[in-house]
Amino acid sequence: MKRFLLVAVIALMTLSASAVNRTRAPKGMLVNEKKAAMFTPGAFKSIAAKQQAMNAFYSDYQPTLSKAKYVKKASLRAEEEEELELIPAYSQWTYFYSTIMGGFIPKIMEDQVQYLVKDGKAYLAPFANLGIVVGEKNDEAENPFAQYGAEVYTFTCGVIAKYTDPETSEEIELSVEPCVIEDYTPYRSGETTFNAYYIAEDNELYIPSDVTLALFVSGGTEREIFDEYYVARMLDLMPQETYNQYISKGTFTGTSYYGAEYNMEGECLILLGGDYYCVKGADGSGNTDAWVEYEVDENDESIAVVSENQYCGTFNFYNDDTRTDTHPGIVVTVGLLQEGGELTAFNSEEDYSSSYKISDTTEETTKIENTNNTVYGDYVFVDEPYKGGMYEAMHQTIVITYEPIETGIKTVTSEKNSKFDGVTYNLAGQRVSDTQKGIVIKDGRKVVIK
């Protein structure tokens, strides 16, 4: 196999804290002049080194941090609230903070947030259900989303979890609070409340992008966050049940540029969005829980793009055979160029994105496949002494089979589900007329109307 060469030392752009305030997929990207990592591509200088890194990859990408194992839920619910069942939710495009990246990175279909709005109160568990922040309906507050039927709920910051210091055995209370962003770093703002907006028709709870939430030591004066993995912004929460109606089964294959021994194939899930597809389990990192968004071109629906730096997983690189010298890192998406079957450079002219062609097949499936010149890549940002390098690069083919997924999630309300009965959607998830010709989805099934 010819060696994989990239032709230049390039600085990858990182996501800044000044992302565009959009309900879906805000992709405001700026170069982080202070902390953008310069790297020499091809950090894994042999197949053995790459295999060593693969063995160290965490298959479960949820944070496994030094502090996290000492965090426990605080008992915050009143007795009459103990029977509340919070709604498992997705937030389709959420920003998480990373010191390694030196800023915020997007995590697609964040699923560690739960919430419930009931009887004039809102209950929010923003970080893996550590505990609940309670909000009260506030008719007096300014409501910039009133035209969408939104109601304002004001959340009061308070203790959400407890932390036992492993050295002193001291128990410390932790609270969720808003942040300010200075030099791409979140700090305590001193604010004690924040507003969220609830749209009852869709059972949607929206926390806009000007609100960044983080975990701090409660009542303390220090400005520093408790842990970088407990920082998030732009949580646009929808019940998983709502999304699951539009998730199809699919298959994927990946032809690796590292050699046939690293080729991949398997099953995946595809969310059929209005102008995007979100695909779970088809990236090269080996993390079957990672979602990646393929955004359909608004002028040409046969083309989709995967933008740079979408978060795929947590990574530990071992520098020696004894597996003691570890360096943390994260895996993100990146686009590469190829010529004659060899990778040549990062796709920097297109913001390090990779492009795809979309086509319906005679088997009544839809195929999403790399174009001839761009390649899907997983790039590893690693703390010193490593600057990062390619983890996986492959020609990717995804086939949507339009088989509904099975889910154990209970319905939110019977009224919510009944309004979708008999409704027809196109393959982009948009509602269309019952007489729409072509391949459509009706009652959760793919049919052909001639």
Side-chain angles (χ1 to χ4, degrees):
M1 179 188 71
K2 294 182 179 180
R3 291 305 302 155
F4 157 72
L5 294 177
L6 296 175
V7 298
V9 177
I10 304 170
L12 274 180
M13 292 191 298
T14 60
L15 289 171
S16 81
S18 58
V20 178
N21 183 5
R22 292 171 53 191
T23 301
R24 194 195 69 77
K27 300 184 178 66
M29 300 181 186
L30 297 175
V31 176
N32 182 340
E33 300 288 353
K34 182 178 179 181
K35 296 183 179 178
M38 298 294 291
F39 59 87
T40 302
F44 305 132
K45 299 187 183 303
S46 68
I47 293 296
K50 180 174 183 292
Q51 185 63 55
Q52 186 179 33
M54 292 176 69
N55 292 339
F57 182 75
Y58 291 142
S59 60
D60 181 1
Y61 70 93
Q62 297 305 325
T64 51
L65 309 173
S66 58
K67 292 181 178 179
K69 61 183 178 181
Y70 298 106
V71 174
K72 61 182 180 180
K73 290 172 57 177
S75 178
L76 301 176
R77 304 178 189 177
E79 289 185 7
E80 65 271 16
E81 297 171 353
E82 288 183 354
E83 300 304 319
L84 289 175
E85 292 187 13
L86 272 63
I87 299 171
Y90 283 128
S91 183
Q92 194 237 324
W93 192 284
T94 304
Y95 288 106
F96 277 77
Y97 179 72
S98 168
T99 56
I100 296 170
M101 292 284 286
F104 285 83
I105 57 174
K107 180 180 175 186
I108 308 303
M109 301 292 283
E110 159 61 20
D111 62 1
Q112 293 298 301
V113 183
Q114 299 184 47
Y115 75 101
L116 177 66
V117 178
K118 180 179 180 181
D119 300 331
K121 287 188 176 182
Y123 307 89
L124 174 66
F127 299 116
N129 202 22
L130 285 178
I132 297 174
V133 183
V134 180
E136 300 277 352
K137 188 177 179 181
N138 186 350
D139 294 328
E140 304 299 322
E142 181 181 356
N143 187 353
F145 304 101
Q147 61 179 317
Y148 303 110
E151 302 169 340
V152 183
Y153 281 79
T154 299
F155 285 83
T156 301
C157 305
V159 176
I160 192 173
K162 296 182 179 180
Y163 162 62
T164 302
D165 189 306
E167 296 182 359
T168 65
S169 298
E170 179 185 5
E171 188 171 75
I172 300 170
E173 294 181 330
L174 303 172
S175 63
V176 168
E177 301 177 21
C179 299
V180 293
I181 311 299
E182 298 177 3
D183 294 329
Y184 303 96
T185 303
Y187 294 103
R188 174 179 254 136
S189 69
E191 299 291 332
T192 58
T193 63
F194 63 91
N195 287 340
Y197 303 88
Y198 178 63
I199 303 174
E201 181 181 359
D202 298 323
N203 200 3
E204 174 183 6
L205 185 67
Y206 176 52
I207 302 174
S209 60
D210 60 356
V211 176
T212 301
L213 300 177
L215 203 61
F216 295 92
V217 175
S218 181
T221 58
E222 63 272 21
R223 302 180 64 210
E224 289 73 20
I225 56 176
F226 172 76
D227 201 299
E228 67 175 280
Y229 277 89
Y230 294 105
V231 184
R233 64 178 306 179
M234 217 216 81
L235 295 170
D236 188 8
L237 303 176
M238 293 283 283
Q240 289 184 18
E241 175 68 21
T242 299
Y243 278 96
N244 287 341
Q245 299 174 79
Y246 311 110
I247 295 178
S248 165
K249 294 180 181 179
T251 61
F252 80 95
T253 57
T255 304
S256 175
Y257 281 76
Y258 286 105
E261 64 268 35
Y262 297 110
N263 289 350
M264 298 180 175
E265 63 179 11
E267 297 180 348
C268 58
L269 297 177
I270 302 97
L271 170 67
L272 311 174
D275 55 358
Y276 60 92
Y277 298 93
C278 289
V279 182
K280 178 181 180 180
D283 76 292
S285 70
N287 177 13
T288 57
D289 289 326
W291 290 86
V292 174
E293 184 192 75
Y294 298 69
E295 184 175 15
V296 178
D297 188 291
E298 60 181 10
N299 298 314
D300 185 350
E301 295 184 356
S302 68
I303 297 175
V305 171
V306 170
S307 60
E308 61 158 329
N309 288 353
Q310 295 184 40
Y311 174 87
C312 287
T314 302
F315 182 93
N316 255 21
F317 184 85
Y318 291 87
N319 191 36
D320 57 4
D321 292 336
T322 62
R323 298 169 69 85
T324 56
D325 183 11
T326 63
H327 300 275
I330 59 174
V331 182
V332 297
T333 63
V334 70
L336 303 159
L337 298 176
Q338 69 90 23
E339 183 177 351
E342 289 194 12
L343 301 178
T344 59
F346 286 99
N347 190 23
S348 56
E349 292 186 359
E350 297 295 333
D351 291 338
Y352 305 99
S353 63
S354 52
S355 60
Y356 299 79
K357 53 188 177 182
I358 305 172
S359 58
D360 288 331
T361 70
T362 56
E363 292 80 16
E364 296 188 3
T365 62
T366 297
K367 183 165 66 173
I368 304 173
E369 186 176 19
N370 289 101
T371 59
N372 291 330
N373 64 326
T374 64
V375 173
Y376 181 98
D378 284 324
Y379 184 82
V380 183
F381 279 90
V382 186
D383 266 357
E384 296 288 354
Y386 301 97
K387 296 293 187 181
M390 288 308 300
Y391 177 76
E392 184 62 89
M394 63 182 177
H395 182 89
Q396 187 184 63
T397 301
I398 297 165
V399 176
I400 308 174
T401 57
Y402 297 102
E403 300 173 71
I405 65 170
E406 298 178 1
T407 174
I409 298 175
K410 299 178 181 179
T411 58
V412 178
T413 63
S414 58
E415 292 82 2
K416 177 66 178 175
N417 288 324
S418 63
K419 76 176 185 179
F420 294 103
D421 293 342
V423 178
T424 303
Y425 297 88
N426 61 21
L427 298 184
Q430 300 163 323
R431 184 170 178 172
V432 296
S433 167
D434 291 342
T435 60
Q436 174 78 27
K437 294 182 179 181
I439 303 174
V440 298
I441 299 172
K442 190 169 184 177
D443 295 331
R445 296 180 178 274
K446 185 181 178 187
V447 296
V448 179
I449 300 177
K450 298 181 179 180

